[in-house]
Amino acid sequence: MKLKNTIIIALGMLTLMLASCGLPSIQKTDTGESETAEAVSATDAAEEATATDAGAFTATDAAAAVRIIEVIDDITETVTDVLTTVITTEPETEKETATTTAPSTTETTTAPTTAPQTTAPAVSTVDNGFDGYSGRVETVNRTYTSDLKYGVDLHRHVTIYYGFDSNGKRYVLKEEETGRSYDRSTYIASYNDLLPAARQNRQNFRAMINEILRLTNNMRAEKGIAPLRLDEKLTEQANVRAEEIAWSGKHSHYRPNLKSFSSIFYDNGYDTGFSGENLGWYYATAAEVCAAWKASQGHYENIINPRFTKIGIGVAKEADPTKNYAFVQHFYGE
């Protein structure tokens, strides 16, 4: 619309300027058709001004023609400038308008308020036990089995907590052990299999063994009975027996091979004389187990039996460490 108005104004200006310069008027021919005077250059007009025929231009007409040409050139240049200005400025105006009339909501404001996740987990400032992870959690209960020794299996019961990254890939948030159990049904060990651990226990629990000896002899002293002598051979044997009980779970005077406790005495050359055995398990200290033996008639009678002159004392850690220790007293007399 602006371009059209500008062209009309320019043409109007051209018409007015031509009229003011005395352009030849349009005349009718005999045939009734219109024709305009032919514009000529300044050189042509000067040449024809010297002609003698009746139809030639005069000097005044030539000057007028030169003026007309100059005016036409000026108008053409003006119109060209106007058109160039219009054509050049019109797109700029449209561009400005497009910017002004564009929606006020930009890409930044219309983007999701939560940025797309990467492979890192979503986090929150709330500590829920998973280092701030606040996404979906999946729990799986599993049991891991491992062979400890002597054929005893350890079962670790575990709950695994899984989280998920933005790609849906599962990963471990936390692994929590919920309990342990021990399968002793496959226990198998000979005396020689148990002997290395028994000898090590003799060293590890030396102080506890000496305390049990002291408390036992105190009980005998209360009855006026001679103290027992700690025998190293019997003590090694008693530690084998303690290791056997702790790992087999056979808290009985019958061994895992279903033989009586006395079989271990025979195996070690004690095939004559008198023998006895006191057992205790799950106690934590020498004082506790000795107090329990004193409170039990059968165990106490072994402790204060004057026929016994030697003693072997064994201590072994239970397969389940929460169960404390297995204790053994082996008595012997000629």
Side-chain angles (χ1 to χ4, degrees):
M1 181 62 71
K2 291 181 180 180
L3 177 60
K4 180 179 181 182
N5 291 337
T6 302
I7 293 173
I8 292 173
I9 292 170
L11 292 175
M13 290 174 61
L14 176 60
T15 303
L16 290 174
M17 294 178 70
L18 291 173
S20 64
C21 294
L23 288 175
S25 62
I26 300 175
Q27 297 178 347
K28 292 290 185 178
T29 64
D30 294 339
T31 60
E33 294 179 354
S34 299
E35 61 180 3
T36 61
E38 182 179 2
V40 293
S41 65
T43 303
D44 294 337
E47 290 176 353
E48 297 207 18
T50 60
T52 57
D53 59 344
F57 284 146
T58 67
T60 300
D61 293 333
V66 171
R67 176 59 181 159
I68 290 170
I69 292 171
E70 291 175 351
V71 171
I72 290 173
D73 290 341
D74 291 340
I75 292 173
T76 301
E77 183 178 354
T78 301
V79 172
T80 301
D81 291 342
V82 171
L83 291 175
T84 302
T85 301
V86 171
I87 293 171
T88 303
T89 57
E90 282 287 331
E92 291 295 326
T93 303
E94 291 177 0
K95 182 178 181 180
E96 181 181 353
T97 303
T99 302
T100 303
T101 58
S104 58
T105 302
T106 64
E107 182 179 357
T108 301
T109 56
T110 57
T113 55
T114 301
Q117 289 183 340
T118 62
T119 55
V123 296
S124 71
T125 57
V126 179
D127 184 6
N128 59 5
F130 303 118
D131 294 329
Y133 174 79
S134 60
R136 179 167 65 96
V137 177
E138 178 180 300
T139 60
V140 176
N141 295 319
R142 290 185 178 175
T143 298
Y144 297 102
T145 301
S146 58
D147 178 46
L148 294 178
K149 61 179 180 179
Y150 313 135
V152 176
D153 289 333
L154 166 64
H155 302 302
R156 292 177 57 247
H157 309 292
V158 174
T159 297
I160 304 174
Y161 299 88
Y162 291 99
F164 298 83
D165 63 21
S166 60
N167 297 319
K169 184 177 180 180
R170 190 174 73 171
Y171 65 96
V172 176
L173 288 170
K174 184 172 68 172
E175 185 172 308
E176 184 176 63
E177 184 174 306
T178 57
R180 294 187 175 195
S181 59
Y182 298 83
D183 183 4
R184 307 184 191 191
S185 63
T186 54
Y187 168 87
I188 181 170
S190 66
Y191 189 98
N192 288 333
D193 293 333
L194 300 165
L195 193 55
R199 287 173 174 168
Q200 187 62 52
N201 290 342
R202 172 69 178 95
Q203 300 301 319
N204 293 345
F205 303 116
R206 180 178 295 275
M208 190 176 289
I209 289 171
N210 288 340
E211 180 64 7
I212 291 173
L213 176 64
R214 187 185 70 82
L215 293 172
T216 298
N217 281 332
N218 283 347
M219 285 185 267
R220 289 173 70 90
E222 290 171 355
K223 295 295 183 178
I225 302 171
L228 295 168
R229 178 173 62 84
L230 186 66
D231 184 83
E232 285 302 319
K233 184 178 179 180
L234 284 173
T235 294
E236 182 178 279
Q237 170 185 300
N239 275 284
V240 168
R241 182 80 170 107
E243 183 79 358
E244 179 179 81
I245 291 170
W247 284 89
S248 70
K250 302 293 185 181
H251 301 102
S252 167
H253 291 293
Y254 284 91
R255 301 175 64 192
N257 60 10
L258 303 180
K259 293 182 179 180
S260 170
F261 77 89
S262 59
S263 64
I264 201 170
F265 282 86
Y266 293 123
D267 292 342
N268 280 287
Y270 297 100
D271 51 3
T272 61
F274 303 94
S275 64
E277 179 181 76
N278 281 351
L279 303 180
W281 52 89
Y282 300 165
Y283 295 101
T285 66
E288 288 178 6
V289 71
C290 285
W293 284 331
K294 187 175 184 179
S296 170
Q297 182 177 352
H299 296 88
Y300 184 60
E301 287 178 354
N302 278 338
I303 289 173
I304 62 173
N305 190 333
R307 297 181 66 178
F308 296 140
T309 59
K310 299 177 183 179
I311 187 173
I313 300 172
V315 181
K317 200 78 174 70
E318 285 282 337
D320 181 352
T322 65
K323 302 296 185 181
N324 299 312
Y325 302 98
F327 297 93
V328 174
Q329 286 181 315
H330 276 179
F331 303 95
Y332 181 77
E334 299 291 345

